[in-house]
């Protein structure tokens, strides 16, 4: 009987799929109703209700700002941020899209001409500058089979009480996207290139440093814009929709890049897998009057082994002061990836989601400074 019971446990665990742990899917409107009902409740209580939800529509930045203003507690801010970040590559709710007439083809071409002019002139005139890159690392923990021990005991006999230790398969607890680390480091924009000084940064993960082997993304601070516009130059951008931005109604265009033209690099976590340059697509939201790029998304999937590595990036741009002048620079970014999980036999056992929430702050002109220190002021002779 004991052996049959043990086999039944194994069969039960093997039959548990990812759908058994799927998050509750809600629309932006449904989440708005939940938040309205939760006003005045405690930070931990509201954050607990938000945990395990998954949005089916994208949350705009100004809507997220309103939510975090209404629920300023640290746990709610994190829960709302991860919900919004995970929705960054979805479509907006229909109610968030202005009922503005689709521009004529000639007007669309004029807007794109302003974008090209903005990129070719304004971007090249950006000064060398520095900023602070602050990242919160989120990770999903899918349930995985593991082996525990259970002790069974029989009655007392002539040789005393008899016990037996059995190896019992169990499932680890599923955890939705949760914080696994934070890091803060300086990043520089030098002659059109992004330079990150990781050694100068201060990382924090579980009391120590940024998580090892975690999703890492580079290029949001500068190169991604040049890569996407360069790769998509040979393909035609198509009109998508109008969108209410933080300050203006933005014109949104869709683009796609074939694998042959791709310079977007995706490195797989699988051992021995070579970097790939997958096909990708996305949206560019611009100020129709100035051609300034205000939002950029990139969605890609690279085949690796038995699975596909999703590698998606969002960058939002806004006005920042550098020196005495205002420039349009990155202010926020989201990087999200779904990576394969392999079992002990080397076959695909599922996927897990990793997500980075990035803020760029404290912009200032890049300068090299030197100072002559008198001998009596120095620490060493």
């Amino acid at each position: 009987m004991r052996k049959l019971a043990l086999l039944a446990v194994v069969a039960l665990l093997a039959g548990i799929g990812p759908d058994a742990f799927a998050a509750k899917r809600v629309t932006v409107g449904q989440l708005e109703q939940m938040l309205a009902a939760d006003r005045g409740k405690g930070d931990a209580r509201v954050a607990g209700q938000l945990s395990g939800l998954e949005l089916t529509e994208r949350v705009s930045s100004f809507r997220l700002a309103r939510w975090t203003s209404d629920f300023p507690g640290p746990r709610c801010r994190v829960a709302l941020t991860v919900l919004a970040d995970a929705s960054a590559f979805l479509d907006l709710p229909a109610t968030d899209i202005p009922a503005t007439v689709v521009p004529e083809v000639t007007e669309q071409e004029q807007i794109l001409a302003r974008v090209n002019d903005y990129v070719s002139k304004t971007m090249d005139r950006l000064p060398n500058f520095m900023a602070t890159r602050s990242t919160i690392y989120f990770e999903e923990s899918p349930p995985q089979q593991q082996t525990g021990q259970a002790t069974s005991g029989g009655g007392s006999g002539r040789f005393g009480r008899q016990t037996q230790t059995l190896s019992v398969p169990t499932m680890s607890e599923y955890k939705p996207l949760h914080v696994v680390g934070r890091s803060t480091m300086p990043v520089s924009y030098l002659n059109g290139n992004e330079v990150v000084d990781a050694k100068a940064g201060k990382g924090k993960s579980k009391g120590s440093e940024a998580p090892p082997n975690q999703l890492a993304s580079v290029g949001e601070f500068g190169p991604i814009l040049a890569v996407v516009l360069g790769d998509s130059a040979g393909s035609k951008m198509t009109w998508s929709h109008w969108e209410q931005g933080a300050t203006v109604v933005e014109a949104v265009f869709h683009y796609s890049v074939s694998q042959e033209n791709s310079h977007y690099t995706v490195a797989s976590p699988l051992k021995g897998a070579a970097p790939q340059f997958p096909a990708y697509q996305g949206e560019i939201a611009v100020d129709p009057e100035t051609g300034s790029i205000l939002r950029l998304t990139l969605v890609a999937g690279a085949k690796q082994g038995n699975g596909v590595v999703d590698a998606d990036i969002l960058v939002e741009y806004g006005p920042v002061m550098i020196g005495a002048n205002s420039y349009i620079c990155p202010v926020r970014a989201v990087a999200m990836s779904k990576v394969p999980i392999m079992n002990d036999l080397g076959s695909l056992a599922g996927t897990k989601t990793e997500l980075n929430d990035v803020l760029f702050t404290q912009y200032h002109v890049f300068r090299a400074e030197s100072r002559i220190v008198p001998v009596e002021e120095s620490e060493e002779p």
Side-chain angles (χ1 to χ4, degrees), residues 231-249:
D231 288 354
S232 60
S235 60
K236 185 178 180 180
M237 288 194 180
T238 58
W239 174 261
S240 181
H241 61 275
W242 293 106
E243 182 172 314
Q244 179 60 58
T247 57
V248 299
V249 176

Side-chain angles (χ1 to χ4, degrees), residues 98-111:
T100 308
V101 177
V102 175
E104 298 290 341
V105 175
T106 53
E107 186 178 352
Q108 297 177 25
E109 293 174 347
Q110 291 172 357
I111 295 174

Side-chain angles (χ1 to χ4, degrees), residues 64 68 76-86 136 138 332 355 357:
L64 174 61
T68 54
C76 279
R77 291 182 67 89
V78 169
L80 290 168
T81 296
V82 72
L83 272 173
D85 287 356
I136 305 177
F138 296 91
R332 174 175 174 259
L355 185 149
D357 178 84

Side-chain angles (χ1 to χ4, degrees), residues 258-335:
S258 65
Q259 186 174 7
E260 292 74 16
N261 295 325
S262 175
H263 291 83
Y264 176 56
T265 308
V266 175
S268 170
L270 299 179
K271 185 177 180 180
Q276 294 193 22
F277 301 91
Y280 61 91
Q281 60 180 326
E283 292 181 345
I284 294 179
V286 305
D287 183 335
E289 298 298 325
T290 66
S292 302
I293 296 176
L294 303 175
R295 182 175 61 88
L296 169 71
T297 64
L298 187 159
V299 177
K303 294 183 179 180
Q304 298 282 1
N306 295 326
V308 174
V309 177
D310 291 337
D312 307 334
I313 290 179
L314 157 76
V315 184
E316 292 183 347
Y317 302 82
V320 299
M321 294 299 297
I322 303 178
N325 300 313
S326 176
Y327 299 92
I328 302 296
C329 294
V331 293
R332 174 175 174 259
V334 173

